[in-house]
């Protein structure tokens, strides 16, 4: 009972942090003042709106995956908590790096802003994977009857995010615009139905059936 | 169990996003500095206060309807999640479009601001309906013993919001002030007791009785 | 089941709004820049810190009372929801009126700011009482075996807040500084153990014993 | 039932306040505008990033300990609530004192900013301990079968935080940079596995085994 409750509050805390981080993104959008050409200003500010949409979707995808992960992680210990807190710290930095990128797109320091943006995403997704790796290796944290094949599948699926973000980081040294390619690939991957999800559904049907 | 829990966390996450989006609206209100004529400034800023009240009520109505919808939606899949995340994205944009409208009421770009405001509301309510349409069409997402007549009734009731917001959008091309008429109609509609609610109450009584 | 769940989500939503409204207050505190006399600036800004503390305590007292109220309110309907949403709207305005008051204390428009501050508090506490009045009068919303004497006691206790805030409003027409007296009385009242609480504890003991 | 529910909502409210306070920290980070040397500006702003990380970790450690405390505190009364609300008030002040410290590091008023920062942390951790002291002394608030040896152990562990923060406060009178030493010691202490945790785990095993 003690440990189950622990996971519950960890999940509520994470949900709250992710929800706030996602909602605060919109408060950073520049609102052109009266007296300016409103439509022109809005169109000129497109990097802000694109960065808002990308970061909002990113945080929601992180929430959704986080949620799937904690179907399997049933107990926590102090080390898992520390890894998880560091993961959340990089989530809350999203609004900062998104704003930075939007401010500098098409400006001399575009590359620096893109490198900062991608570095935070690499660190965040690496920490997400660390939480999972630790939970699968340490005895007694995963749900007891978790299918080892499913654990392996999820480990591989979760690892795709830091790999593609690292690719985006490396590409942005050479060309900032092209660094969007691995990000788009990542979104397509997350939008398509996944093997692990099919496995989960089959498992649920066999439990409930 | 897996899917039920999924809906729970989706509801908590949505509640958090809606609560934050609603609460942040007040932080956008202009506070006249000392040295100005406070009462005069506050009265001059009436569009900000009117926009605040309208958007706050709107988000709370969205929350209340969302809450009713998830009495029937018991399981989620990836596509419902994506539709739902896009719905939340437009919810968080409310504070931006509200601020924009308040800044430009009675100024040259009033029409542009109103068109942006209504467009976001149309997209938000269309996505809300998409979540419902998808849940009713896909097998296994609705509660098993949901009355098909009630589903039909709710489908019709939910569709009223995007229709009236589209009307407001079209009217604001011609006259911004009049575009408030369909919005007021929508609020009156939501304030009156509804047929679906009566049906729900009867159903509950027959279950509990 | 349907209605119980309704109250749950209403409580979570309210908790979230109250928690955000309370936490956002600190973001309004002025931070003196480097180069100024830090301690002198902080002391000069005392109205901001006093207003922050008062509003934070106020929202927490509102949360605590709200929480007690929903021990008895077990079901909601549309009208209770509307009253409740209006109550929350005035809660979120706290950060605005607090900031306004802090900006204008000791300035020419002090009275106007104090009147706005107290008016919002009167409206908020009246709406709080409306939620309770409606719940006690409408059949089927209160927990079935609620002691009528306790309901009467709570009705009287809840009514003290709008009465004292109205007194503060009236006093501030005449003298802004003295308008703090009914507020201090209200806090002392809330800090002392109350008759209703004793009654609740006795009731719990009789249930559990 | 009544009291258990009380603790639940107190925990949700606290989780929400702590999550929001932690997430808002990132919104205070200065974003260098285009046209400046981005990397240079970011490096120059290092106190802001260091203060952000320290305060984020601090709030998360507070959340984690708070969470552990409420495994044992099962019922609340009005006085515990008041102490707890004051604790939360100082938590929300974190973003203010963190911003203040970051603005004044290396500037003439560095000492004043550090004293304010440490004072708020001393008050916050003292109040945290007050909540625990009150709960352990007042009859009927702790879980019935709590091991008295564990209560004693936790009382000692919780007391370490205000002692080390007081040390930091005293050191910063003499040297601001060295005041970080007790803080680092505190973090190392919280990162290492603790005796109380081992005791809790053993207890759980004996309950579940």
């Amino acid at each position: 009972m003690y440990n189950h409750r622990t996971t519950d509050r960890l999940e509520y805390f994470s949900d709250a942090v992710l929800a706030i981080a996602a909602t605060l993104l919109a408060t950073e959008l520049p609102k052109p003042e009266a007296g300016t050409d409103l439509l022109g200003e809005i169109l000129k500010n497109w990097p802000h709106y694109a960065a808002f949409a990308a970061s909002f979707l990113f945080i929601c995808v992180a929430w959704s995956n986080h949620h799937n992960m904690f179907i399997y992680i049933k107990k926590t210990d102090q080390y898992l908590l520390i890894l998880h807190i560091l993961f959340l710290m990089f989530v809350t930095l999203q609004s900062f790096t998104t704003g930075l990128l939007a401010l500098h797109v098409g400006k001399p320091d575009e590359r620096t802003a893109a490198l900062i943006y991608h570095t935070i995403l690499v660190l965040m997704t690496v920490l997400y994977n660390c939480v999972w790796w630790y939970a699968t290796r340490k005895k007694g944290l995963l749900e007891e009857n978790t299918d080892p094949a499913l654990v392996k599948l999820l480990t591989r699926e979760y690892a795709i995010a830091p790999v593609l973000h690292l690719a985006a980081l490396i590409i942005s040294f050479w060309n900032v615009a092209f660094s969007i390619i691995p990000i788009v690939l990542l979104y397509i991957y997350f939008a398509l139905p996944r093997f692990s999800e099919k496995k989960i559904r089959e498992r649920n049907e066999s439990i409930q059936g």
Side-chain angles (χ1 to χ4, degrees), chain A residues 63-188:
Chain A
W63 168 77
S64 157
N65 279 298
H66 183 269
H67 164 196
N68 281 328
M69 192 196 266
F70 276 86
I71 295 169
Y72 305 106
I73 303 180
K74 282 292 163 216
K75 304 191 177 182
T76 68
D77 65 6
Q78 209 179 343
Y79 298 112
L80 191 137
L81 212 63
I82 292 171
L83 289 171
H84 197 271
I85 283 169
L86 291 173
F87 161 69
L88 290 178
M89 192 171 85
F90 287 104
V91 169
T92 68
L93 281 173
Q94 273 291 104
S95 71
F96 171 70
T97 57
T98 302
L100 215 59
L101 189 59
L103 278 172
H104 291 271
V105 160
K107 305 279 163 59
D109 278 325
E110 183 184 56
R111 175 153 306 144
T112 314
L115 289 174
I116 292 168
Y117 184 81
H118 289 307
T119 304
I120 296 296
L121 283 174
V122 168
L123 289 171
M124 174 182 160
T125 47
V126 163
L127 278 160
Y128 180 85
N129 277 274
C130 287
V131 171
W132 178 246
W133 293 332
Y134 181 77
T136 55
R137 263 152 200 65
K138 184 83 182 261
K139 226 189 83 187
L141 299 185
L142 282 202
E143 209 187 10
E144 264 181 57
N145 53 0
T146 308
D147 179 359
L150 181 61
V151 171
K152 231 172 166 175
L153 204 57
L154 285 169
T155 306
R156 242 180 274 155
E157 284 189 2
Y158 290 149
I160 290 168
V163 166
L164 284 176
H165 280 301
L166 190 63
L169 177 65
I170 293 165
I171 290 171
S172 65
F173 271 105
W174 167 64
N175 184 311
V176 171
F178 286 4
S179 77
I180 212 174
I181 296 170
I183 310 289
V184 170
L185 285 175
L186 194 60
Y187 280 118
I188 292 172

